[in-house]
Amino acid sequence: MNPSNWRTYLVTQASLSDGRSTSEIVRAAIDGGVDAVQLREKETSARSRYELGLELRELTADAGVDLIVNDRVDIAQAIDADGVHVGQSDLPVGVARDLLGPDAVVGCSTSTVAEAREAEREGADYLGVGAVYGTSSKDVADDEDGIGPERIEAIADAVSIPIVGIGGITADNAAPVAEAGAAGVAVISEITAASDPAAATAALAETVETSKGVADGGRGA
């Protein structure tokens, strides 16, 4: 349960799954080597998210994959998730930490250096930074053109906790995000909408791992 080791992070959204269940997508992503899964599904009821969360908890626990819940600290507690991810308009990081305890993973969405530093001060374990590229998701960023890998680098230089880039990321454009200092990348449609989610996950993981190797080699030179 170390966000520094997350290379691929799936954020669930059933509406993009082409009729497949979220559990089916998560199972395939696990087969492809996903490191963390975030239960999102904001358009569903709390009861539905709870019941889905129980299914995902079983799948991820068996595979040794971290399970994070978007926004809802109560659901995270109820399904014994590994942690919660909060946005700028959700419960503060410190409150989530107090409710979940010291062992839980608490992540926070940020898009600026100031937000990132504040989240770190409040005790966040990792940051979801974006939207890196343009995205149609209402959950990430307020800049339709994206903040770009340059902002990832600026935030990585400003904080000491791991960063996960999110927003419009694909296997084709993930490399600059990892090279800029992100530990990994979080995606929705790149895996969920793929005809072969397992293969899409594996391709994304390979791109990130290779790019991080290049970046680490450059920094060590």
Side-chain angles (χ1 to χ4, degrees):
M1 199 164 63
N2 183 354
S4 295
N5 297 327
W6 293 347
R7 300 295 180 258
T8 53
Y9 182 130
L10 170 64
V11 180
T12 72
Q13 186 170 332
S15 62
L16 297 175
S17 67
D18 194 26
R20 296 166 294 185
S21 72
T22 296
S23 293
E24 183 180 352
I25 298 296
V26 169
R27 189 177 292 108
I30 288 171
D31 289 342
V34 77
D35 298 302
V37 173
Q38 183 186 125
L39 171 60
R40 183 173 170 265
E41 311 301 350
K42 280 192 165 186
E43 67 279 7
T44 64
S45 67
R47 173 65 69 89
S48 295
R49 266 179 280 175
Y50 164 71
E51 292 173 349
L52 175 58
L54 292 177
E55 293 180 36
L56 300 189
R57 175 71 288 182
E58 184 174 355
L59 288 173
T60 55
D62 288 346
V65 169
D66 293 325
L67 178 63
I68 306 298
V69 175
N70 181 277
D71 297 350
R72 296 293 298 263
V73 173
D74 55 342
I75 293 177
Q77 289 176 313
I79 66 172
D80 194 27
D82 294 298
V84 70
H85 187 94
V86 297
Q88 292 297 309
S89 61
D90 299 322
L91 285 176
V93 168
V95 174
R97 169 72 64 210
D98 289 342
L99 291 170
L100 291 176
D103 296 330
V105 173
V106 179
C108 183
S109 294
T110 65
S111 60
T112 68
V113 169
E115 288 174 353
R117 285 175 169 158
E118 178 62 22
E120 183 178 38
R121 280 194 296 269
E122 290 185 357
D125 295 297
Y126 76 94
L127 304 175
V129 179
V132 180
Y133 304 113
T135 177
S136 60
S137 172
K138 294 179 180 179
D139 260 14
V140 285
D142 53 6
D143 186 342
E144 63 182 15
D145 295 322
I147 60 173
E150 298 80 12
R151 187 80 60 79
I152 293 286
E153 184 172 11
I155 291 175
D157 288 343
V159 300
S160 60
I161 56 178
I163 289 170
V164 176
I166 186 170
I169 296 174
T170 69
D172 292 331
N173 63 23
V177 182
E179 291 168 1
V185 296
V187 300
I188 301 175
S189 59
E190 178 70 357
I191 292 174
T192 302
S195 59
D196 186 340
T201 304
L204 192 63
E206 182 178 5
T207 297
V208 173
E209 194 62 45
T210 300
S211 302
K212 286 188 67 64
V214 170
D216 291 343
R219 284 193 291 270

